[in-house]
Amino acid sequence: MAPVTKSKSKAVSGQLDDMLALLIVLMAQAGPPKLLRKLIAAAGSPSRFLGTSAETLVESSGHSMAEIEAVLSRCDTPEVRLAATRELKVMRQQGVELVTTHDAGYPALLRTIPEPPLALWVRGAVAPEDVYALALLGSSRCTDYGRQQSELFATALARHGITVINGGERGIDVASLEAALAAGGRVIVALGAGLMNHQRPAQALYDSVVDSGRGAVVSSVPLQTAPDSVNQVKGDHLVIGSSIASLIVEAGAQSGAMIAARIAVDQIKRQVFAVPGPLEAPNSAGPLRLIADGRASITIHPDHLLDALVDTAQHLAYRIARAHPVLRLREARSAERDPLSLLATEDQKAILSELHYPQRAESLASSIDLPTPDVQRAAYRLALSGVLSRQDGKYDWVQPS
C-alpha cells in the first residue's frame, strides 16, 4: 500500500502545482487566452511554462522573444504570486474549482467561440446535459408581464431538459432562474464579476443553485473581481457562448440584454429569439427592434420556441462540426465528437421502440408507462440531437432527405 499512497501524493501535489501556476498566469493578466493557451501547450503544463526559458518557448511556440518575455515578466512578480497563493487558499475553502478548456466540466459550446476563456472559476458543476442551454435574458426592471413570460418560458424549458443560463441580475434573469429551479430544471449563472464579490444582487439564489446540485455559478475572472463594464462583457460572452440560442424577454433599447443580443448575432453567431410586448412600452423597445431588424425571431409561446430550437440546435451542431473536424472523428464516442449529441438513455430507447406515428409526449408516456416529465425530456433531447423531429408539439422520426 505504501507505494500506491506515495504515487497518489505526488499526483495530487503535481495538480496543485499546475493549478497555482495557472492562477499566476491568469491573475497576472499576462496576455490574450489564445496566446497563453499556445505557450502553455508548447511547454506541456502551466508549471512547466513558468519554469521554461524564453529561448526554449520561442523555439517551441513560434512566437517572438518580445511577446514571450512580456508574458513571463508579468507573471514573475511577488505581488502576482502572493495573490495567486491567496486565491488558491480561498478557492479550497469555498469549494471553488478552476476548470480549463481541457476539462470535462468546461462548457462544450464555449470551447468553440472565437476566444474562449483559458479557465473558469466554478461553484457547483457544469453537467454534460448543460450543452443544451438557452440564455434567457431581459430587463432588471421588468414589469409583471415580463416576469410572467420569463417564468412561463423558463418552466417549459426546464421541463424539456433545457438548462437556463444568464447573468443572475435582478428582474428577468432571477425570475427565470427561480422558475427553472422550481420546475426541477438545471440552471447556470455566469457572472460578470468574481464569485466571491458580495456586490452581486442575488447571492442567496446563487447559493441555492449550488446547494440544489442542479447547476453552477461560473466566472472567467478571479474571485474578488468587482463588476464593471469590461467584466460584464466577459460575462455576456460566457452566457452566449455556453448557449445554443438566446431568448430576450423585455429589454430597453440600450440595455445590457441588447448588448448580449448583439454579441450573439455579430460575434458568436448564435440564434436570438424575442418575446414581443406592447408597442408603446419602454421595455418592449429592445425585443421589437430586434424583430423588426431581422436580428431575432419572434416567439409567442413556449411550444413555438421549443419547435424552433430543434432546427437551431441542428444548424449549430452542423456549423460547429464543420469548423472543428476533431469533434466528428468516427472512432470517438458520439458525445465526444459532437458537442450537441449525448448517448441514448433507457427512456430514449423506449420512446424510439414505441414511436410508429407522430405523437405528443403525453401519449408516448401512456404507451410506455413512464412519467410524462421524463418522456418530455427524453423525447426532446432526441429531437435536439437530430434523431426525431418536433412540430406542433408532436414527435416523429426524421425523414431522410
Side-chain angles (χ1 to χ4, degrees):
M1 293 300 291
V4 174
T5 304
K6 185 176 180 181
S7 173
K8 183 177 180 180
S9 176
K10 286 184 177 180
V12 172
S13 176
Q15 290 168 4
L16 289 176
D17 287 345
D18 272 339
M19 185 182 293
L20 181 57
L22 182 56
L23 281 171
I24 289 170
V25 174
L26 293 170
M27 301 191 75
Q29 299 182 13
K34 187 175 182 180
L35 170 62
L36 298 176
R37 192 176 291 109
K38 186 173 182 181
L39 293 177
I40 291 171
S45 71
S47 56
R48 288 178 182 172
F49 165 63
L50 292 183
T52 301
S53 68
E55 291 80 4
T56 302
L57 288 170
V58 167
E59 281 185 38
S60 58
S61 72
H63 283 272
S64 70
M65 179 68 74
E67 282 181 296
I68 293 171
E69 284 184 337
V71 171
L72 290 175
S73 65
R74 290 192 189 102
C75 296
D76 191 23
T77 71
E79 293 81 8
V80 166
R81 291 174 181 262
L82 179 60
T85 302
R86 289 173 173 168
E87 184 85 353
L88 180 56
K89 181 179 180 180
V90 176
M91 285 172 57
R92 298 180 71 181
Q93 290 172 342
Q94 300 296 326
V96 175
E97 291 188 62
L98 195 66
V99 178
T100 74
T101 51
H102 299 293
D103 296 328
Y106 195 94
L109 290 179
L110 189 62
R111 287 193 189 99
T112 68
I113 71 173
E115 194 71 29
L118 191 62
L120 302 177
W121 282 256
V122 179
R123 286 185 66 214
V126 178
E129 57 263 38
D130 294 330
V131 71
Y132 294 110
L134 181 125
L136 208 164
L137 313 168
S139 174
S140 60
R141 300 176 180 174
C142 62
T143 65
D144 288 342
Y145 167 80
R147 183 176 296 277
Q148 290 166 2
Q149 292 300 312
S150 65
E151 291 172 349
L152 178 69
F153 277 88
T155 298
L157 291 165
R159 287 175 177 169
H160 285 79
I162 298 289
T163 299
V164 173
I165 178 173
N166 58 47
E169 300 289 349
R170 296 183 181 89
I172 297 296
D173 283 13
V174 167
S176 59
L177 293 172
E178 290 177 340
L181 281 176
R186 290 187 56 82
V187 303
I188 296 176
V189 185
L191 300 179
L195 297 187
M196 298 294 112
N197 186 286
H198 295 291
Q199 298 177 49
R200 307 303 299 175
Q203 190 64 49
L205 172 61
Y206 309 156
D207 291 340
S208 69
V209 168
V210 176
D211 293 342
S212 71
R214 288 189 281 113
V217 185
V218 305
S219 172
S220 62
V221 294
L223 296 177
Q224 299 296 340
T225 305
D228 60 24
S229 57
V230 173
N231 291 323
Q232 186 56 58
V233 171
K234 290 181 180 180
D236 289 339
H237 276 82
L238 280 185
V239 170
I240 302 302
S242 302
S243 312
I244 57 176
S246 302
L247 174 65
I248 311 298
V249 181
E250 285 200 329
Q254 304 299 323
S255 63
M258 290 294 285
I259 293 173
R262 286 193 288 271
I263 290 172
V265 175
D266 298 333
Q267 298 180 28
I268 302 183
K269 312 299 183 185
R270 299 280 165 87
Q271 176 72 50
V272 176
F273 298 89
V275 177
L279 295 179
E280 71 281 1
N283 271 359
S284 298
L288 292 175
R289 174 51 58 193
L290 290 170
I291 293 167
D293 290 346
R295 297 166 72 82
S297 301
I298 187 172
T299 187
I300 57 176
H301 189 274
D303 277 345
H304 181 224
L305 175 65
L306 290 164
D307 285 346
L309 277 181
V310 170
D311 289 336
T312 297
Q314 284 312 294
H315 288 145
L316 177 60
Y318 177 71
R319 176 163 64 82
I320 290 174
R322 286 185 62 193
H324 300 268
V326 71
L327 294 173
R328 47 191 171 90
L329 293 173
R330 283 185 182 176
E331 55 272 18
R333 289 169 44 183
S334 62
E336 294 171 344
R337 69 174 182 264
D338 183 348
L340 295 182
S341 177
L342 297 175
L343 301 178
T345 65
E346 292 304 315
D347 288 354
Q348 289 170 341
K349 292 175 183 177
I351 290 168
L352 295 176
S353 68
E354 186 62 30
L355 189 64
H356 306 299
Y357 56 89
Q359 294 187 63
R360 293 185 177 275
E362 295 81 359
S363 173
L364 284 165
S366 177
S367 300
I368 60 180
D369 195 26
L370 284 173
T372 296
D374 293 350
V375 174
Q376 283 179 326
R377 287 190 291 272
Y380 193 65
R381 185 65 55 83
L382 287 168
L384 290 172
S385 62
V387 177
L388 300 181
S389 64
R390 187 182 193 273
Q391 189 170 7
D392 297 327
K394 291 184 178 180
Y395 295 94
D396 196 7
W397 288 92
V398 170
Q399 300 302 314
S401 56

